[in-house]
């Protein structure tokens, strides 16, 4: 969701209009000043409560201010634990490394190394691309239609969004764009087309260092890569000497129903980028997982001042221990995902729309950015924070915390249904149109 | 400081060797596991204390875990204040905006807008370059020898470090390199040479969108831009239709003796990038200050998931209110800087070396990366964390917290003196060489 | 045709091996020293005659040393006509401009302006791309799989050949590659896919300045763009604000059966690049035809020392007057093309191969670069100069002069048939394999 | 000389205005239609004669239509010698190779290989840069202020002219610009500055594949590289692992007083680009000379349709045999160059101007593009074709054929003197200004 029209702001918002850059965006859709948050509920300075179906764009998979993470973090701060440690060894970092290794990597038979850089998703993507280029000695990277990988120059070259690309066009090099699964509609086999291109030495597609994709495209419109597509890309990467990079920044950390969004396909990406919900608490943290054979940077060849955000290590470890010590959480996500699918399906059906997405990352394609914006605005009036996605912002997207209570989830989806009803069935509106 | 040779690690470090990427670097110089930190003191898991003359590469100007910031942060967390807010309005953000405006901008007659993006310095530089390119319709950016602006592709194009540049060479476009103040030695006027180049339509230097520089080059070797150099660049930027961007990420937030490192020159940069010590507490936060007339992004044209790190807003505001409500802190920095200069001067003189830098950002040029590394290692053995800078890591650099007590500061500098003595005067070593 | 294995050379060739760069290529396939040439016949220094089915890669559509052009040229030289005139006005240039306007442009209802630059096809492509970028204010250019547009950096970015691209990879920017007509096989609609990509604002394909293609891909493997494909690309270009550039360097000047290879589709390209047979005599000459509204260069914004090759103007005009004053020549080309198609069809059929191409630009796809090379070598032994094309050099390609006599043409095709027979049916070879 | 204002054209020029692209330039300064040319004399269709002090921008060092070359060429054409031969072996090419080897390379102790590509200077530069990049595995190329190397994308990246660069800005990558000898005025040592930059690993100047320069900058303003500058660049290239490429396209073939313009400095460039006067007769021809160890292209890795312009081989050989079999011609050039220097010196002195250039490539710096244009126009009215050079076209430049008779040369210089007098001393003009 990227383009917002300004909505009249509450009084509290005047400060922002005066002092903050025009580039601000989400605040234009939700023009109130928020004060507190707990799990799936946001509270503004007037005491109004909102259900959060945006969840920090999937940075809050475990909800706002989880009490166990909060407690771990406050204890750490109170004990004067190291806050900023560059990439020096700290107790908190060691505990995170061990926890991630034991809870996530080992059970999945993975031996990837953990790499830290600037704590944003874009920084992780930049590091991943550089690694792949160094490891292969090649420059070209295959990225896909509607992909979203961040807005720093290297990452933006791989991002599809035209508005964000526009200003940096000439700096955006080293990436070849291919059709994502299903982009050209039924019957056009995007994986085969990529294989055709790479297999022809005069196709003009230079031998790639990497194939980079999301398993579920969040910003791009909740497009889903099928199991088969992922398996074929994995094979194509191997066949043509490229690394497979899964950008699991938005779809990872349980959002898909598994910890990693690629697990269901049984593939082993060479490199995986993680961020958003990795810290568990919404704190800035990113990580690149890389197979040992491609861990080719020399010390400090890629770096970053905040790569040792110890507060994030503390909450990230707490999240791993709380949610990923067994498979109960994953099962519960799948249960909720089924419920979500059924509820959205019912709404979509009554308007001839289509549900898109997978796991707890789904939405309704309304076919119109204007309609979707009206629906989200109507939902906000009713106390629900929800946003759009897609090339034309035409999809109403549900990104609830995975920890949302059944009751709150149901109530939020009721509001979604009402908002659709209000916008699409209101007699006055119909007349006006 | 970028290249490290591995030092034998304590037992605790084995985890890192097994699980973390080879790219880790500082930990190789300081091979112990840290646990706690208070102001200028780090404590490892064995209870050993170290004076910190690295200060998170100037991310900890106010020391580790300042009690007032800590208290404000813990209160905020305990009250379930919003942690992750994308760029939505929050109470904590509003308070920061007002505080920065009142404490910093207004007293300096500045009306820059505050822009947030991914919370790293590199993200700020990327946003700044894009803004300048959009505002001017030009692509070329003038950057300087030994400049350091981060390692994401757009920022790296402006960064001088060859090892970091090497892997991304072909993606590093849109930047023209010019000599920094003093690069070619006495008698070569770098500002005049830039003016010559820009004034000749067939020089081959395309009309620039921006001139980007640090007032004091931290990583690049504590090179200092003189007042006159900054004033002339400011005039040259205006003359040739380019924006002046000061990267104040490392030298800002008081490090130079003023809040901004350019204040002493009386110039008004069009864009300023800030990060490192901005949050005050070592939390990830960055900001671009931009004159209203160049605040040209449309909503979400540049964005980032963690651009609303509310914990950082809370501590950043606490830092502003505590340290910048009057000029007492700045005066104290200058007093300490004089002391630092005098102490380093005495050490340097006895070996025929030279002190470089300005304010509380100074070091001794030993002329040899190997020697400087030995000196830092000798200091670490004596309980001091200190690092090198410069093209060959030849400078022993002091970046103490600005809040360091006089006693601790003196003790740290005593250790520096001992380390020089040990490495440079030891009879055995001399014989060996 | 790009990769050659060295064949033992005649004595005369030793000079070349000693003094000329290793980059030489065709001479490795035809290792004799040529002396004279007349229409479709080459004669070497030993007096051996060869039928020429390569025709300077379609630079000799009117055969070698056409007597009328020769006579016009010698008269011009003997009269001390200006040879080198930069872009100054000369009588010879004026005569060419008028002739081209009267014989070619006017009868086709075209009002394109003629632009001269360095006299090679690559120079024309470079100028065309720059024009389109300036006229639209956009940078991206759509080029196609297996396209060939020359090897200077700007043109090479649009060329598909991997071996030629390899050395300049990082400089090859500003081009997006799309599938040519039929590239992905039956049932995949390349034009629709391009329209899909350009119609989605977050596809990651930046708005294009131009769509650049050959109507028949010579080097790329005699792939043919259908009438419908050309018409749709023309419509897609208009719809998305891009210019349509037809690279008619190899397929133009009658080779397709019309003067321009796009005529049969009834489209009006915005820009057309011409070279190879334009001078008629094999002399270096290129030209860009551009619609007046896109003739946007300022004087000398693009230039070139040899853009006024007056010898070429003289022979080019002679060719236009001799061959294009009426439609007799075009009709004769089509007659010969039918004959060629029938003869190649018969050969192809007996080996289960396929004929590719259009007009007098056809070949047989043998499916194997090694086989095709053997066939060409066998033909050369029998007195026929013929070469391969395609990604793997797997196509035996006939590019006879359009002026070849029926008898010589038949004899050449007899040799082709024999060469196929020898290589593919020889019992010894079969045994050996 | 690049920017021309339109001068009212003779009737004959109307055809060009109607049919030719607006990019035409020289014809705007010399608005008449030329018909014939002999040595240093051009004749227009009205029979008016003009002395030629432009000489095809130094493509006509041996004058127009030299009778011996003319005779060799006509004989070759009349005998049906191969005109267009791709890169196949021909008798004419062999003769050229031998002659160039015997007359030029051997006497100078050079063993460079000869490489042919598209027959323009830009094509030679493109090939040279690609060779250097392949041979070194590096991408960066050092080029200089005011350098001119052609306008195809790869060459244009190295060219300084801002107007020509403007349209392709974003494609112009892989080149770092440094100050040419004397660019920053007396006392600034450009060679030392380059060495400083390359010697500092964090200067931001990536390790270069090549250092590319002209010994005398023609278009750039007749700037001259001193013997010492060339020697130091040669040493700097070796020291830093870069190849030295001399672009001898304009200054070569005797223009400087030697065959190569670098001979006087005693250096051995790794690669040399030649074009312009190489064919002797004004026919398109270019060549790259490359030391055998850097002759690293595989067959056809770089190519071009017109790389075998046999007419040019014939005239080029005739020129070598006529002018370079002994040192008489070189001596005569130096004699004329002294005369030129003396005559221009006298003119310059009387207006306080300065003579720039070397050998038979000199001009007067008038300090004003407008004045220089007026002087050239006044000269043309008096029957002299002469043009400007320099960033602001401020230099009146003499590029007479090296074969010009003493009498004609003197007459041409008389006209130059008159034109200066008319423009700079005319009372009316002074009053008007």
């Amino acid at each position: 969701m990227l383009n917002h029209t300004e909505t009249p702001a509450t009084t509290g918002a005047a400060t922002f209009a005066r002092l903050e850059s025009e580039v601000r965006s989400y605040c234009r859709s939700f023009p109130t000043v928020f004060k507190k948050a707990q799990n799936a509920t946001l509270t503004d300075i007037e005491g109004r409560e909102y259900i959060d179906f945006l969840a920090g764009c999937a940075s809050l998979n475990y909800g706002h201010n989880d009490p166990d993470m909060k407690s771990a973090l406050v204890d750490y701060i109170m004990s004067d634990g190291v806050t900023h440690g560059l990439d020096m060894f700290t107790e908190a970092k060691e505990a995170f490394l061990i926890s991630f290794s034991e809870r996530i990597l080992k059970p999945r038979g993975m031996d990837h190394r953990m790499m830290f850089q600037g704590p944003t998703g874009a920084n992780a993507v930049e590091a991943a691309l550089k690694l792949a280029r160094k490891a292969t000695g090649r420059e070209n990277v295959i990225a896909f239609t509607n992909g979203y990988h961040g807005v720093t120059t290297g990452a933006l070259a791989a991002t599809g969004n035209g508005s964000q690309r526009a200003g940096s066009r000439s700096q955006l090099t080293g990436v070849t764009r291919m059709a994502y699964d299903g982009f050209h509609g039924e019957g056009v086999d995007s994986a085969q087309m990529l294989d055709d291109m790479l297999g022809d030495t005069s196709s003009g597609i230079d031998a790639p260092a990497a194939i980079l994709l999301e398993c579920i495209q969040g910003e791009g419109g909740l497009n889903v890569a099928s199991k088969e597509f992922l398996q074929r890309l994995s094979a194509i990467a191997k066949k043509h000497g490229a690394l497979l990079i899964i950008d699991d920044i938005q779809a990872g950390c349980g959002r898909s129903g598994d910890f990693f969004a690629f697990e269901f396909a049984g593939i082993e990406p060479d490199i995986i980028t993680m961020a958003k919900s990795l810290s568990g608490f919404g704190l800035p943290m990113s990580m690149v997982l890389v197979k040992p054979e491609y861990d080719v940077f020399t010390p400090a060849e890629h770096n970053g001042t905040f790569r040792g955000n110890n507060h994030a290590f503390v909450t990230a470890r707490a999240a791993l221990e709380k949610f990923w010590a067994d498979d109960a959480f994953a099962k519960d996500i799948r249960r909720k995902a089924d419920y979500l699918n059924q509820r959205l399906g019912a709404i979509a059906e009554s308007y001839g729309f289509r549900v898109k997405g997978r796991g707890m990352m789904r939405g309704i394609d309304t076919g119109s950015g204007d309609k979707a914006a009206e629906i989200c605005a109507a939902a906000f009036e009713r106390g629900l924070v929800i946003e759009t996605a897609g090339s034309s912002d035409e999809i109403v997207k549900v990104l609830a915390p995975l920890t949302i209570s059944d009751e709150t989830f149901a109530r939020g989806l009721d509001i979604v249904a009402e908002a659709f009803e209000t916008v699409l069935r209101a007699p006055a509106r119909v007349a006006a149109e």
Side-chain angles (χ1 to χ4, degrees), chain A:
Chain A
M1 207 304 314
L2 292 159
N3 296 301
H4 303 258
T5 50
E6 190 91 36
T7 321
T10 63
T11 326
T15 306
F16 299 92
R18 184 166 52 90
L19 298 175
E20 195 183 356
S21 162
E22 291 295 325
V23 79
R24 67 192 184 279
S25 61
Y26 288 108
C27 53
R28 299 174 191 263
S29 300
F30 312 116
T32 192
V33 179
F34 294 100
K35 182 184 178 71
K36 302 197 308 173
Q38 234 307 315
N39 199 359
T41 305
L42 284 157
T43 308
D44 72 11
I45 50 174
E46 312 286 343
R48 277 186 303 252
E49 294 195 342
Y50 300 83
I51 298 174
D52 188 359
F53 270 20
L54 179 50
C57 288
S59 296
L60 295 161
N61 283 359
Y62 312 107
H64 290 271
N65 294 321
D66 175 87
D68 297 305
M69 298 183 212
K70 180 165 77 174
S71 159
L73 177 58
V74 168
D75 286 353
Y76 187 78
I77 297 172
M78 291 307 292
S79 75
D80 281 336
V82 172
T83 298
H84 183 285
L86 292 167
D87 69 353
M88 291 195 278
F89 300 146
T90 64
E91 207 176 30
K93 186 179 186 180
E94 185 176 12
F96 168 78
L97 289 173
I98 291 169
S99 182
F100 194 86
S101 175
E102 296 298 322
R103 298 303 182 201
I104 304 297
L105 297 180
K106 277 195 189 163
R108 289 163 181 80
M110 295 166 68
D111 66 347
H112 292 65
R113 295 268 181 79
M114 294 176 246
M115 184 168 91
F116 303 98
Q117 55 290 315
T120 71
N123 284 288
V125 170
E126 296 261 348
L129 297 184
K130 225 193 270 188
L131 263 183
R133 286 175 172 139
K134 182 167 187 192
T136 61
R138 300 171 174 185
E139 295 179 30
N140 190 22
V141 167
I142 305 293
F144 293 87
T145 49
N146 308 125
Y148 187 88
H149 305 285
V151 298
T152 54
T153 308
L156 187 52
T159 288
N161 185 280
S163 149
Q164 296 184 323
R165 292 177 65 83
S168 301
R169 206 177 300 156
S170 58
Q171 270 73 39
L172 306 182
T173 59
V175 168
T176 295
R177 189 76 40 182
M178 298 296 299
Y180 192 72
D181 198 9
F183 179 78
H184 288 300
E186 293 293 313
V188 180
D189 181 342
S190 298
Q192 186 55 51
M193 296 197 311
L194 174 59
D195 196 30
D196 291 349
M197 287 279 191
L198 297 181
D200 182 332
T201 57
S202 83
S203 71
I205 305 297
D206 298 316
I211 298 177
L212 165 70
L213 77 159
E214 304 150 281
C215 296
I216 309 167
Q217 295 184 322
E219 295 300 311
L222 299 176
N223 309 306
V224 170
S226 71
K227 191 172 179 166
E228 194 206 359
F229 185 74
L230 291 171
Q231 289 166 346
R232 291 179 63 197
L233 286 199
S234 178
I236 289 167
K238 272 193 190 58
K239 176 177 170 189
H240 297 288
L243 305 194
L244 181 67
I245 306 176
I246 294 295
D247 179 337
D248 226 22
I249 291 169
Q250 186 162 24
C253 295
R255 180 61 55 184
S256 73
D258 294 309
F259 185 81
F260 295 116
F262 56 80
E263 287 183 48
F264 81 123
I267 59 170
E268 280 189 28
D270 301 299
I271 299 179
I272 302 149
T273 56
M274 311 201 66
K276 292 201 188 275
S277 279
L278 182 61
S279 77
F281 205 68
L283 298 176
M285 177 176 183
S286 83
M287 181 164 69
V288 171
L289 297 173
V290 55
K291 285 189 177 169
E293 58 266 40
Y294 305 124
D295 181 27
V296 293
F297 280 151
T298 54
E301 193 170 346
H302 192 89
N303 61 5
T305 293
F306 296 116
R307 65 196 183 281
N309 182 6
N310 282 274
H311 288 193
F313 289 138
V314 169
T315 55
R317 178 179 173 279
L320 292 169
E321 296 301 322
K322 177 170 181 177
F323 294 105
W324 299 100
D326 60 33
D327 63 355
F329 184 58
K331 280 184 180 160
D332 193 55
I333 300 169
R334 287 176 218 141
R335 182 185 61 81
K336 281 177 181 153
D338 287 344
Y339 173 71
L340 172 62
N341 194 29
Q342 170 222 313
R343 289 292 308 266
L344 292 183
I347 298 169
E349 196 179 6
S350 51
Y351 304 97
F353 293 153
R354 189 168 58 115
V355 176
K356 296 182 73 178
R358 186 158 75 81
M360 280 287 277
M361 195 166 168
R362 295 186 205 240
I364 294 175
D365 183 349
T366 69
S368 152
D370 288 345
K371 280 221 177 71
E374 279 186 64
I375 291 164
C376 290
F380 186 66
E381 283 169 27
R382 283 159 181 78
L384 179 71
V385 167
I386 188 167
E387 259 293 355
T388 59
S391 295
S392 312
D393 298 322
E394 73 280 12
I395 291 161
V396 176
K397 172 182 67 178
V398 178
L399 284 178
L402 306 178
T403 54
I404 193 168
S405 74
D406 289 356
E407 191 196 333
T408 308
F409 201 20
R411 194 145 37 90
L413 289 165
D414 291 345
I415 296 177
V416 173
E418 286 168 39
F420 269 79
E421 181 81 13
T422 304
V423 171
L424 300 168
R425 292 258 168 83
R429 301 198 72 88
V430 169
E433 285 168 9

